[in-house]
Amino acid sequence: MAEFNSEPLILAAQEFAKLPGIGMKTAQRLAYFILNSSEKEVEDFAQGLIKARKSMRICKSCMNICSSDICPICEDEKRNKKLICVVESPKDVSAIERSGGFDGVYHVLHGLLSPINGIGPDKLKIRELMQRLTDCDEVIMATSPTVEGEATAAYLSKLIKPFEIRVTRLAYGLPAGASLEYADDVTLLKALQNRSEL
Amino acid sequence: MAEFNSEPLILAAQEFAKLPGIGMKTAQRLAYFILNSSEKEVEDFAQGLIKARKSMRICKSCMNICSSDICPICEDEKRNKKLICVVESPKDVSAIERSGGFDGVYHVLHGLLSPINGIGPDKLKIRELMQRLTDCDEVIMATSPTVEGEATAAYLSKLIKPFEIRVTRLAYGLPAGASLEYADDVTLLKALQNRSEL
């Protein structure tokens, strides 16, 4: 971004470059789009984001993002409140809801343990989870099968075990629709170990 | 984006999905980033874009985006005003400036002729270009080597020829640093036809 670039283009591109996964080339492309839009359109876009952020609340029960004190899932009387599914982020709640196979409630940690990045247990919504265990039958660990995800699940599992609550983990195995020959070794090994009767 | 997605997340994602090249998955990822930022940060981001758009002017001479009535390039006394380089968009001005090989001025068309998309000569800054030809020695066509770019260059060339001004075109050939075996047939053919003495 040298001097010959027009100032408004630089200003807009610098804003977009703040976003995750948006490099300088994409930022410039988006900036150019903004400058080609009418002032009204840009105002609407900007105000839309401000409004979305302002309307955001965190559910007092499950810590998910919502627009009220208690999220629609926690408020739903048909949901099994004694079955808590622990996830990393609100995106994971959406993903599991899409599967249509879960009728319990969630608990959003808002991150995973990662000592390397300085994320310890105090940075996650773990205290809030522990407070919910008084009336709970089962906690499902639904963190990603990554190093951080596994470590977080193991850590929480140890914390929860003394409460004599069932702690489970999402199954490992082949992704549906995937071709066996492209499955990695670890996935294939887990799929073999966890094979079920037909 | 079904009902179980939190409302603020949908609101923010819908805004990002308006941007070109941003699909629903990326929009959700960016929306999540916005909701994880402080209200102050979101406000700054949004106001930054509004400010960039508001500060935008179009140079009265070359039609490039700038923040004053006349852009810095057109104002520069060291630039050869009799040599006009015609480009599609402000991004192309940045690209050519980066090459460091041009000391003339530009004319930004703000698009290319594309009858299929309903973009005729009246949609481009062609009238403004014609007004600049009274005191001009050479016009360089620097549109992209695409169907639209070639058609626009050919159209403008016909318009300009009666003024008895030299009309040139950027050279075709192998891109610097590229491997010959990966060059496409048309590029290779053009590189052969336009070969120069060593």
Side-chain angles (χ1 to χ4, degrees):
Chain A
M1 303 292 289
E3 43 178 317
F4 41 76
N5 251 319
S6 69
E7 199 189 306
L9 203 68
I10 296 174
L11 282 178
Q14 277 171 345
E15 293 302 330
F16 281 117
K18 290 179 186 170
L19 300 174
I22 303 288
M24 215 48 208
K25 279 252 168 178
T26 306
Q28 266 189 289
R29 191 171 49 79
L30 297 178
Y32 188 57
F33 174 79
I34 285 292
L35 296 185
N36 267 336
S37 305
S38 72
E39 281 198 28
K40 168 86 173 61
E41 283 165 337
V42 177
E43 182 83 30
D44 287 350
F45 173 78
Q47 293 299 340
L49 293 179
I50 292 173
K51 195 184 144 201
R53 178 61 186 81
K54 282 218 169 113
S55 72
M56 187 189 88
R57 300 282 175 279
I58 296 287
C59 172
K60 282 184 177 163
S61 176
C62 74
M63 305 288 130
N64 195 8
I65 288 174
C66 61
S67 53
S68 46
D69 282 350
I70 300 290
C71 79
I73 294 174
C74 287
E75 249 182 358
D76 191 340
E77 286 178 11
K78 279 174 277 174
R79 290 289 190 142
N80 180 2
K81 303 292 189 309
K82 298 192 170 195
L83 178 60
I84 299 177
C85 180
V86 177
V87 294
E88 177 190 348
S89 81
K91 279 179 285 193
D92 303 324
V93 173
S94 306
I96 295 175
E97 285 295 292
R98 272 198 299 272
S99 80
F102 183 65
D103 72 341
V105 289
Y106 295 91
H107 190 85
V108 182
L109 294 174
H110 286 275
L112 293 173
L113 291 178
S114 177
I116 289 176
N117 299 312
I119 303 175
D122 51 310
K123 294 268 175 74
L124 308 181
K125 304 290 184 189
I126 292 178
R127 200 162 40 88
E128 291 83 352
L129 173 62
M130 302 315 283
Q131 287 164 354
R132 296 176 70 187
L133 298 181
T134 47
D135 193 28
C136 170
D137 291 340
E138 180 180 348
V139 176
I140 303 172
M141 294 296 160
T143 51
S144 297
T146 58
V147 174
E148 281 93 357
E150 300 288 6
T152 308
Y155 176 86
L156 290 178
S157 173
K158 258 192 202 164
L159 276 188
I160 299 170
K161 277 280 164 65
F163 289 78
E164 292 188 352
I165 292 169
R166 198 177 164 214
V167 182
T168 55
R169 179 91 188 83
L170 289 188
Y172 289 108
L174 297 172
S179 168
L180 199 112
E181 72 178 301
Y182 296 121
D184 65 286
D185 300 352
V186 179
T187 302
L188 214 47
L189 180 66
K190 302 260 185 187
L192 268 170
Q193 287 169 342
N194 301 322
R195 66 190 179 278
S196 59
E197 297 286 339
L198 271 181
Chain B
M1 301 296 287
E3 41 176 318
F4 41 76
N5 251 320
S6 68
E7 200 189 305
L9 203 66
I10 296 174
L11 282 177
Q14 278 171 345
E15 294 300 333
F16 280 117
K18 289 178 187 171
L19 300 173
I22 303 288
M24 214 48 209
K25 280 252 169 180
T26 306
Q28 268 190 286
R29 190 169 54 76
L30 297 178
Y32 188 59
F33 173 79
I34 284 293
L35 297 186
N36 266 336
S37 304
S38 71
E39 281 197 29
K40 167 87 173 62
E41 283 166 338
V42 176
E43 181 83 31
D44 287 350
F45 173 78
Q47 292 300 340
L49 293 179
I50 292 173
K51 195 184 145 200
R53 179 60 185 81
K54 281 217 169 114
S55 72
M56 187 189 89
R57 299 283 176 280
I58 296 286
C59 172
K60 281 183 177 164
S61 174
C62 73
M63 303 289 131
N64 194 8
I65 289 174
C66 61
S67 52
S68 47
D69 282 349
I70 299 290
C71 79
I73 293 174
C74 288
E75 249 182 359
D76 190 342
E77 286 179 11
K78 279 173 280 175
R79 291 286 190 146
N80 179 0
K81 304 290 189 309
K82 299 195 169 190
L83 178 61
I84 299 177
C85 180
V86 176
V87 295
E88 177 190 349
S89 80
K91 280 179 287 194
D92 303 324
V93 173
S94 305
I96 295 175
E97 284 296 292
R98 271 198 299 274
S99 81
F102 184 66
D103 72 340
V105 290
Y106 295 91
H107 190 85
V108 182
L109 294 174
H110 287 273
L112 292 174
L113 291 178
S114 177
I116 289 177
N117 298 312
I119 302 175
D122 51 311
K123 295 268 175 75
L124 308 181
K125 305 288 184 189
I126 292 178
R127 198 163 39 93
E128 290 83 353
L129 173 62
M130 301 316 280
Q131 287 164 354
R132 295 176 70 188
L133 298 182
T134 45
D135 192 28
C136 171
D137 291 339
E138 179 179 350
V139 175
I140 303 173
M141 293 295 161
T143 51
S144 297
T146 58
V147 174
E148 281 92 358
E150 299 289 5
T152 309
Y155 176 86
L156 288 177
S157 173
K158 258 192 203 165
L159 276 189
I160 299 169
K161 279 278 167 66
F163 289 77
E164 292 189 351
I165 292 170
R166 198 177 163 212
V167 181
T168 56
R169 178 91 187 84
L170 287 189
Y172 289 108
L174 296 172
S179 169
L180 199 114
E181 71 178 301
Y182 296 120
D184 65 286
D185 301 352
V186 178
T187 302
L188 215 47
L189 179 66
K190 300 259 186 188
L192 269 169
Q193 289 171 340
N194 301 322
R195 66 190 179 278
S196 58
E197 297 285 340
L198 272 180

